[in-house]
Amino acid sequence: MIETIKTYLEEQRDQHIEELMQFLRIPSISAVAEHQPDMKRCADWVAESLKNAGLENIEIMPTGGHPVVYADWLHAEGKPTVLIYGHYDVQPADPMELWNTPPFEPVIRDGKLFARGSTDDKGQLLLYVKVVEAFLRTQGSLPVNVKFCIEGEEEIASKNLPPFVEKYKDKLQADAITLSDTQMHGPGKPALMYGLRGLAGFEITIDGANSDLHSGLFGGAVQNPIHALTKLLSSFHDTDGRVAVEGFYDRVIELSDKEREAFKQVEPNENKVRTDLNVDKLYGEKGFSFYEQTTSRPTLEITSVSGGFQGEGIKPIIPNRASAKIACRLVAVQVPDEIMNAVEAHIHAQDLPGVKVTLDRQLRGNPFITPIDEPVMVAAAEAFEDTYGVWPVYTRSGGSIPIVEVLGRVLDAPVVLLGFGLPGENLHAPNEHFHLINWEKGTETISRFWLKLTARNEKA
């Protein structure tokens, strides 16, 4: 069957690429109000594309912002159901003068398709639509049931999607969730990203006297909020770089031996990292490699500090206020509010006379992980190996994609990130592009993945 699917996709390749170029010509920039009509036009285009592929129950569903496009095909009785997530919005194209060709006039050069959205995420999203088309046109059915949830606000933090998923969780329910909005490890080197860090962001404010004070008249007798702040900030870590907040590590799931071995395949050269950053020494929690520190360990980073006179010269005062902003990157299964509770308790345990300390909680995002031995992950790895001829490497991201955790948690289903982009494809930057070799390899991998899910289901 897979050879029939591949043949169809090869025969229709030029037509499919032309359709992708139509998709890319729509400047669906969610962040810019003047592109509201383009967002609607793009949602309509996606809905029509899903219909042409043979999907059913197509809806353009309103949210508090840009709509979600839904579609499904649910006739594979007794087979798994896969929810495909993607987004049709794109980043602004500025600065325009740095593009070699106009960002919304796609062109192909050297086997690469250049346009805003080509790799993030229109090119990768359309792979799934064309796999549906290939199966339905050649087999008359799909090996799995599928649902599509395609949003228009990923590039503006998906603020309306979590309540949408909560509201329609029965409609979206699936046995597995897949998305392709990530990258491979390199050309011909597939990767399965199985973990993302979460986020807890807050601001600490320290208030002293009711106004700035003359440092000669009051210095040494009244607490300086900056002094108190620096004392507090220095208490957050021990001398080995470990976070010194009680309970900070309580929920951390330690790496397995299998994971640590897998990390060795993607671990960057630490000397090169140090040289590239122009620092004489790397610093961090002892006992962990650079990659482990930046992907699988939680952090507490002071991202900004402010207080006192910031202008030219010196103004000899005791400022009445000082503040710092903190970003904690979290790993499974830490909970943002629990971490902020622990930080607040740590603050109150410090001896800071003469000042008032407040903590303003601002950002929350749960970490995400799908175990690498989860059956759907194994099926995805096997599909990658069959297509690319090598077993994929396993990666974690030091950053956060909060909606991935939301989908997995609310729908109680494993999430598989099948990335077909490549490093250096300039997503979010001028001259964004997508290597078309991964168009062919991507559709084949997805096809094999669905077939393997069905085969595993039949054996179970």
Side-chain angles (χ1 to χ4, degrees):
M1 182 186 299
I2 188 64
E3 293 304 322
T4 302
I5 299 299
K6 286 173 61 178
T7 297
Y8 176 86
L9 290 166
E10 289 167 5
E11 292 173 346
Q12 299 298 316
R13 179 188 182 279
D14 290 348
Q15 175 60 32
H16 290 168
I17 297 299
E18 174 55 36
E19 290 178 38
L20 172 56
M21 294 173 83
Q22 294 173 15
F23 194 13
L24 293 168
R25 290 187 183 105
I26 304 172
S28 49
I29 304 171
S30 54
V32 180
E34 68 184 64
H35 286 283
Q36 180 75 31
D38 296 313
M39 293 300 298
K40 182 182 184 305
R41 181 159 63 100
C42 199
D44 291 340
W45 190 96
V46 170
E48 186 66 20
S49 179
L50 295 168
K51 178 182 177 182
N52 292 339
L55 288 150
E56 303 170 343
N57 303 312
I58 299 162
E59 300 177 68
I60 298 178
M61 304 177 69
T63 71
H66 302 303
V68 169
V69 184
Y70 174 86
D72 62 35
W73 189 93
L74 304 174
H75 303 293
E77 187 175 352
K79 304 294 175 61
T81 298
V82 179
L83 175 71
I84 296 121
Y85 163 83
H87 63 94
Y88 62 87
D89 65 322
V90 300
Q91 282 281 328
D94 306 81
M96 302 289 284
E97 66 273 12
L98 296 183
W99 286 80
N100 294 328
T101 52
F104 296 104
E105 295 178 16
V107 296
I108 297 173
R109 297 194 305 272
D110 302 322
K112 294 173 280 191
L113 177 55
F114 287 80
R116 171 58 87 229
S118 55
T119 189
D120 179 23
D121 176 47
K122 291 179 177 180
Q124 298 199 61
L125 168 61
L126 203 62
L127 294 170
Y128 290 89
V129 180
K130 293 311 168 187
V131 170
V132 168
E133 177 188 311
F135 272 103
L136 292 180
R137 297 280 174 86
T138 64
Q139 309 299 314
S141 64
L142 300 179
V144 293
N145 299 292
V146 299
K147 299 177 180 180
F148 281 79
C149 176
I150 306 171
E151 69 158 321
E153 297 186 331
E154 194 275 344
E155 301 294 4
I156 51 173
S158 302
K159 61 183 178 181
N160 288 297
L161 194 57
F164 179 91
V165 174
E166 291 276 5
K167 181 177 180 179
Y168 294 104
K169 62 182 178 181
D170 291 338
K171 186 184 189 73
L172 300 173
Q173 196 59 57
D175 299 299
I177 303 160
T178 63
L179 61 133
S180 294
D181 198 10
T182 54
Q183 296 180 340
M184 299 170 61
H185 188 54
K189 299 177 181 179
L192 278 172
M193 184 177 291
Y194 71 98
L196 299 162
R197 290 201 288 190
L199 181 64
F202 50 92
E203 183 170 10
I204 297 170
T205 301
I206 296 186
D207 288 301
N210 56 8
S211 69
D212 291 350
L213 301 174
H214 190 291
S215 64
L217 298 178
F218 293 94
V222 178
Q223 175 70 287
N224 185 322
I226 295 179
H227 293 179
L229 179 63
T230 55
K231 179 181 178 181
L232 174 61
L233 296 181
S234 67
S235 75
F236 283 139
H237 296 86
D238 65 20
T239 56
D240 290 329
R242 185 175 172 87
V243 177
V245 174
E246 185 176 353
F248 190 84
Y249 295 95
D250 285 357
R251 284 181 174 266
V252 174
I253 298 175
E254 300 295 335
L255 287 172
S256 67
D257 290 342
K258 185 175 181 180
E259 288 176 295
R260 298 194 86 162
E261 284 300 313
F263 276 16
K264 291 178 181 178
Q265 298 183 53
V266 295
E267 181 77 48
N269 183 299
E270 295 190 7
N271 286 330
K272 185 177 187 305
V273 172
R274 180 180 54 76
T275 301
D276 289 347
L277 297 179
N278 194 28
V279 295
D280 61 0
K281 191 174 183 180
L282 296 177
Y283 171 83
E285 189 181 3
K286 291 188 181 301
F288 298 92
S289 69
F290 173 85
Y291 190 75
E292 290 169 345
Q293 289 169 337
T294 56
T295 62
S296 68
R297 300 298 295 171
T299 65
L300 186 155
E301 293 294 339
I302 301 159
T303 62
S304 74
V305 177
S306 62
F309 177 67
Q310 302 295 314
E312 185 178 355
I314 296 174
K315 185 179 182 181
I317 60 166
I318 299 171
N320 72 323
R321 170 172 286 186
S323 63
K325 296 180 180 180
I326 310 290
C328 296
R329 293 292 176 171
L330 310 181
V331 298
V333 286
Q334 291 178 302
V335 178
D337 274 311
E338 288 184 3
I339 292 299
M340 288 190 276
N341 288 343
V343 170
E344 194 155 15
H346 177 89
I347 290 171
H348 293 319
Q350 306 307 304
D351 181 21
L352 301 172
V355 294
K356 178 185 176 183
V357 185
T358 56
L359 186 147
D360 179 21
R361 306 180 184 206
Q362 299 178 3
L363 298 175
R364 297 170 178 82
N366 290 327
F368 150 81
I369 193 168
T370 296
I372 60 178
D373 55 359
E374 169 75 38
V376 295
M377 287 287 284
V378 176
E382 291 173 345
F384 266 134
E385 183 183 40
D386 288 351
T387 301
Y388 286 89
V390 294
W391 194 263
V393 296
Y394 293 101
T395 64
R396 288 198 192 190
S397 171
S400 308
I401 310 177
I403 195 57
V404 173
E405 184 277 334
V406 171
L407 288 167
R409 171 173 48 82
V410 174
L411 303 181
D412 191 23
V415 184
V416 181
L417 284 73
L418 292 167
F420 298 104
L422 283 175
E425 287 186 334
N426 289 13
L427 66 166
H428 293 203
N431 301 309
E432 178 181 352
H433 56 277
F434 184 58
H435 287 71
L436 291 178
I437 182 64
N438 290 321
W439 174 272
E440 291 89 7
K441 296 288 190 181
T443 52
E444 180 180 346
T445 302
I446 294 165
S447 302
R448 290 184 183 276
F449 177 49
W450 290 357
L451 290 168
K452 288 180 183 295
L453 286 180
T454 294
R456 284 180 170 273
N457 185 69
E458 291 171 349
K459 291 178 181 178

